[in-house]
């Protein structure tokens, strides 16, 4: 529940002056009270979104409701308008936070869809390149050319593609590894010092 301020304008004309003088003493005060009560009754059962978006339909409903009462006073309601809708500062902050959260959620969804499309494209490209080794070599050279063009200060030392494939092989990685000494076996010193005999 919140309190909102609405500026509504009612345009009317007097059709029967004698009926008006015999019915009302203060026309402006009576019309103002009637417009206020009518707008409250019409807006009580509407949501905030409907109030902000359906101003014309609400104004038309208010015109019909007002004209049904003012016709007995000799007054014809020409039209009604809702000029401004003012919300409390706390509600405006809440709506801004909610809108920002929805925007962030949409951004995450769009990013996730982009990542999905990218992964599908990369998977298809990997399947195509796996069947043609020459295309892999050309792609490798194209990547090196792009690096040298975009960043001229970067020094690129290309390796032969065959060497890269050999280094990436697990069997070659095992054969080329350097064996490390077993820490469980104690290492004897080169020149061990003889201990003196306890008999000497």
């Amino acid at each position: 529940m919140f309190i909102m301020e609405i500026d509504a304008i009612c345009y009317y004309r007097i059709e029967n002056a004698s009926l008006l003088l015999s019915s009302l003493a203060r026309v402006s005060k009576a019309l103002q009270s009637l417009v206020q009560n009518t707008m409250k009754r019409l807006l009580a059962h509407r949501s905030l979104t409907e109030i902000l978006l359906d101003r014309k339909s609400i104004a038309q409903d208010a015109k019909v409701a007002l004209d049904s009462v003012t016709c007995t006073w000799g007054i014809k309601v020409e039209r009604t308008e809702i000029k401004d809708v003012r919300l409390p500062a706390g509600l405006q902050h809440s709506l801004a936070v909610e809108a920002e959260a929805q925007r962030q959620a949409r951004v995450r969804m769009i990013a996730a869809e982009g990542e999905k499309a990218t992964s599908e494209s990369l998977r298809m490209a990997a399947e195509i390149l796996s069947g043609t080794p020459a295309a892999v070599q050309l792609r490798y050279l194209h990547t090196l050319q792009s690096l040298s063009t975009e960043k001229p200060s970067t020094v690129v030392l290309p390796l032969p593609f065959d060497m890269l494939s050999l280094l990436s092989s697990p069997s070659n990685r095992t054969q080329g590894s350097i064996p490390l000494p077993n820490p469980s076996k104690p290492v004897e010193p080169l020149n061990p010092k003889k201990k003196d005999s306890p008999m000497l």
Side-chain angles (χ1 to χ4, degrees):
M1 300 295 294
F2 59 92
I3 299 175
M4 59 188 309
E5 298 179 1
I6 296 178
D7 293 338
I9 301 177
C10 176
Y11 298 91
Y12 65 93
R13 60 185 174 86
I14 300 174
E15 289 185 337
N16 192 340
S18 59
L19 180 60
L20 176 61
L21 293 177
S22 62
S23 302
L24 297 176
R26 301 179 62 182
V27 180
S28 299
K29 185 66 174 178
L31 284 176
Q32 183 178 1
S33 301
L34 180 61
V35 170
Q36 289 178 355
N37 294 329
T38 304
M39 294 303 296
K40 289 179 182 179
R41 179 172 54 84
L42 292 176
L43 299 178
H45 303 288
R46 294 178 181 266
S47 63
L48 177 61
T49 305
E50 293 176 351
I51 295 175
L52 295 177
L53 299 179
D54 299 338
R55 294 188 182 184
K56 292 184 178 180
S57 61
I58 296 174
Q60 183 64 26
D61 295 341
K63 174 185 176 301
V64 174
L66 291 173
D67 195 37
S68 62
V69 177
T70 57
C71 64
T72 59
W73 300 343
I75 297 175
K76 175 65 177 178
V77 177
E78 295 292 339
R79 71 176 189 273
T80 57
E81 295 180 1
I82 297 178
K83 288 295 185 180
D84 190 16
V85 177
R86 291 186 295 273
L87 303 177
L91 181 60
Q92 293 180 7
H93 179 71
S94 300
L95 293 176
V97 171
E98 183 180 358
E100 181 65 20
Q102 293 178 356
R103 189 184 68 84
Q104 292 293 337
R106 287 195 298 266
V107 168
R108 293 190 186 96
M109 291 178 62
I110 294 173
E113 292 176 357
E115 291 291 337
K116 181 181 178 181
T118 303
S119 62
E120 291 291 336
S121 301
L122 291 176
R123 182 183 62 81
M124 296 175 61
E127 292 178 355
I128 296 173
L129 292 176
S130 62
T132 54
V136 180
Q137 180 71 24
L138 292 176
R139 181 59 182 166
Y140 173 65
L141 296 176
H142 182 265
T143 303
L144 294 179
Q145 182 184 5
S146 300
L147 289 176
S148 60
T149 303
E150 295 176 359
K151 298 180 179 181
S153 60
T154 304
V155 179
V156 180
L157 299 177
L159 294 175
F161 197 76
D162 296 336
M163 183 180 295
L164 292 177
S165 61
L166 291 175
L167 292 176
S168 62
S169 177
S171 59
N172 294 329
R173 193 182 299 115
T174 305
Q175 294 177 1
S177 60
I178 301 175
L180 297 177
N182 190 0
S184 61
K185 297 181 179 180
V187 180
E188 297 180 358
L190 297 177
N191 296 321
K193 296 181 181 180
K194 296 182 179 180
K195 296 182 181 181
D196 296 336
S197 176
M199 298 300 295
L200 297 179

